[in-house]
Amino acid sequence: DIQMTQSPSSLSASLGDRVTITCQASQDIGNYLNWYQQRPGKAPNLLIYDASNLQRGVPSRFSGSGSGTDFTLTISSLQPEDIATYYCQHYDNLPPITFGQGTRLDIK
Amino acid sequence: QVQLAESGGGLVKPGGSLRLSCAASGFTFSDYYMNWIRQAPGKGLEWLSYISFTGNTIYYADSVKGRFTISRDNAKNSLYLQMNSLRAEDTAVYYCARGGQGGGWFDPWGRGTLVTVSS
């Protein structure tokens, strides 16, 4: 099974900061990597699909990059509503589909 | 408006059974593959099962294989998860999620239904 490792596990940043979260796959997954945001008490919401494509309706301050085994989610300027846990997810060579363990983001 | 609404969660004893439902609206249900994903309290996301458009292709995570059964009724725009031999570690919020057209992402997700397995 393909393992997904996110870092950091938690992160504190100031409003307006540029925030970067990384996700590493245990083997090459091409660009089969998606990112989700989960606000407290809510269901996850798709942000980025296929590594770098912004889902419709998602603010442009979110961006994704990477391919192969190393991927990055970037928030260009942190806003209060971005406080959430972020998950990466692969879908190469399924089953199974696996998620990273999550990165909890809060305000410093 | 695309919507998914889960139901059927609740408290069940270890070894018991429960059937979850997911009602879909706002899109052509039969055009999409569907998934179940769960989240234990305070933990991360765990994909459980996938079902293709017609139900001909089904996948399960090892953690539920042989105990859980996914199914769908396209005439009723509904997805189901039959859960048998439930264990304490199955306690979680269970989400249904629509598969992406052209790729393996999940969008949207339902609000989830809580399943608690306890004596």
Side-chain angles (χ1 to χ4, degrees):
Chain A
D1 296 356
I2 298 173
Q3 307 301 318
M4 308 301 295
T5 304
Q6 285 182 236
S7 61
S9 296
S10 63
L11 173 59
S12 291
S14 300
L15 295 177
D17 279 357
R18 183 180 183 88
V19 172
T20 299
I21 298 168
T22 64
C23 179
Q24 186 169 58
S26 59
Q27 64 189 66
D28 190 332
I29 58 170
N31 68 335
Y32 294 156
L33 189 285
N34 308 312
W35 290 98
Y36 300 85
Q37 176 193 65
Q38 186 177 31
R39 294 188 174 115
K42 301 294 186 183
N45 183 49
L46 177 68
L47 296 176
I48 303 284
Y49 63 94
D50 286 350
S52 61
N53 295 288
L54 191 68
Q55 173 66 351
R56 224 174 314 172
V58 173
S60 59
R61 63 180 179 273
F62 291 92
S63 63
S65 64
S67 66
T69 61
D70 296 299
F71 301 87
T72 300
L73 174 70
T74 300
I75 308 173
S76 60
S77 178
L78 187 66
Q79 301 300 305
E81 60 267 32
D82 300 337
I83 300 314
T85 300
Y86 293 84
Y87 294 93
C88 62
Q89 170 245 325
H90 90 84
Y91 66 97
D92 185 46
N93 195 27
L94 59 100
I97 293 169
T98 51
F99 292 87
Q101 80 277 17
T103 295
R104 183 173 175 175
L105 174 61
D106 59 28
I107 300 292
K108 191 183 294 181
Chain B
Q1 181 184 3
V2 175
Q3 285 191 322
L4 299 170
E6 303 90 341
S7 60
L11 175 63
V12 61
K13 289 181 167 54
S17 297
L18 213 53
R19 188 194 196 207
L20 305 183
S21 299
C22 171
S25 60
F27 65 100
T28 304
F29 183 67
S30 57
D31 284 351
Y32 291 83
Y33 67 89
M34 298 294 295
N35 295 266
W36 286 100
I37 298 151
R38 71 183 177 186
Q39 186 170 35
K43 302 296 184 182
L45 300 168
E46 180 186 16
W47 169 82
L48 297 180
S49 186
Y50 156 107
I51 186 167
S52 62
F53 316 115
T54 59
N56 287 345
T57 301
I58 286 173
Y59 300 127
Y60 295 101
D62 286 346
S63 59
V64 302
K65 200 177 298 183
R67 301 188 300 124
F68 290 11
T69 303
I70 191 172
S71 62
R72 65 189 296 162
D73 185 335
N74 288 343
K76 294 183 177 180
N77 293 334
S78 292
L79 176 71
Y80 305 101
L81 187 67
Q82 177 66 43
M83 304 187 297
N84 298 330
S85 303
L86 283 162
R87 308 164 179 165
E89 54 265 35
D90 295 319
T91 295
V93 174
Y94 285 72
Y95 297 101
C96 63
R98 188 180 73 173
Q101 280 195 322
W105 50 87
F106 307 125
D107 180 66
W109 300 52
R111 291 186 175 183
T113 187
L114 176 62
V115 172
T116 303
V117 184
S118 174
S119 54

